[in-house]
Amino acid sequence: MDNRTNLDDYLAGLGISGADETEAPPPAPEVAAGPVPALTPADEDPRAVLERFLTGLAARIDPGLSVSVREGEGALEVEVAGENAARLAGRDGRTLGAIEVLAYTVLAKQAGRTDLRVRVDVGGFRKRQADTLTRLAERLAVQVAKSGEPHELQPMPAADRRVLHIALKEHPDVTTESVGEGSARRLIIKPRSYGA
């Protein structure tokens, strides 16, 4: 079975694919008989929408994956677990990032919620990545404090920059700043007294 084609069909059925708009959508999956009340986006629980979408997505990728969704601070946090869950992160977390974009899009479309962020972790990937970035921030802070010169990092996603900002927020010797636009946005660590 070609999971990619099935996933494309699934996403097209949700109205979030790049499929030709003139094509008829795939037939809806059969559901149990009985009246189903029509839901407007405001009626749907964002957590239920997200869990339903990601459970369906995970089942198509690997039936052994399980999904749990909990409410965090200003975000819905998702943990995907299973024997092969870590593979779902992809290279440098790119697949995980794409899943987050899809999940946010579904949440916005089906639950009408654009104010909630979606954070997805698989097999503890995000936690390990945050720990690695925090250690990097601490090493660079020492280097910047000793040299007195700012250090500019390579462009990185907003979530990674946020981890670095938070890690150094209370640091007595350095401060952080994001510069640039779009995918070229990067973080600069500089001494607190720099340019003052």
Side-chain angles (χ1 to χ4, degrees):
M1 179 186 303
D2 184 0
N3 284 339
R4 187 180 56 165
T5 302
N6 291 335
L7 179 59
D8 290 343
D9 292 346
Y10 181 74
L11 295 175
L14 294 173
I16 58 173
S17 75
D20 184 0
E21 296 295 325
T22 60
E23 292 180 22
E30 291 188 32
V31 293
V36 176
L39 294 175
T40 62
D43 294 334
E44 292 237 44
D45 174 37
R47 190 173 159 197
V49 167
L50 192 59
E51 189 162 1
R52 183 175 58 239
F53 168 71
L54 290 172
T55 299
L57 180 65
R60 290 176 185 278
I61 294 170
D62 181 350
L65 297 176
S66 64
V67 174
S68 63
V69 180
R70 68 180 183 87
E71 291 185 41
E73 193 175 307
L76 291 175
E77 297 178 356
V78 181
E79 178 64 34
V80 180
E83 187 177 330
N84 298 316
R87 291 186 8 212
L88 194 58
R91 183 177 179 168
D92 299 327
R94 290 181 188 160
T95 304
L96 192 53
I99 290 171
E100 285 179 341
V101 170
L102 288 172
Y104 177 80
T105 303
V106 168
L107 189 63
K109 182 172 179 155
Q110 293 188 0
R113 295 291 300 267
T114 58
D115 60 323
L116 285 174
R117 288 189 326 225
V118 176
R119 286 189 291 250
V120 180
D121 195 4
V122 293
F125 176 83
R126 290 277 189 222
K127 179 166 179 9
R128 286 190 307 276
Q129 184 181 34
D131 290 346
T132 300
L133 287 171
T134 299
R135 286 192 305 273
L136 172 67
E138 291 165 357
R139 281 195 320 267
L140 291 174
V142 168
Q143 177 184 334
V144 167
K146 281 182 181 177
S147 72
E149 294 295 319
H151 182 88
E152 186 171 315
L153 284 87
Q154 295 293 318
M156 62 179 60
D160 292 350
R161 287 193 317 273
R162 184 173 186 269
V163 169
L164 293 168
H165 281 301
I166 290 170
L168 298 177
K169 186 171 111 175
E170 302 294 327
H171 197 283
D173 301 323
V174 300
T175 185
T176 59
E177 175 185 11
S178 288
V179 296
E181 296 295 323
S183 63
R185 197 151 171 84
R186 58 207 176 280
L187 186 117
I188 298 176
I189 301 171
K190 54 188 175 181
R192 285 202 183 269
S193 61
Y194 190 76

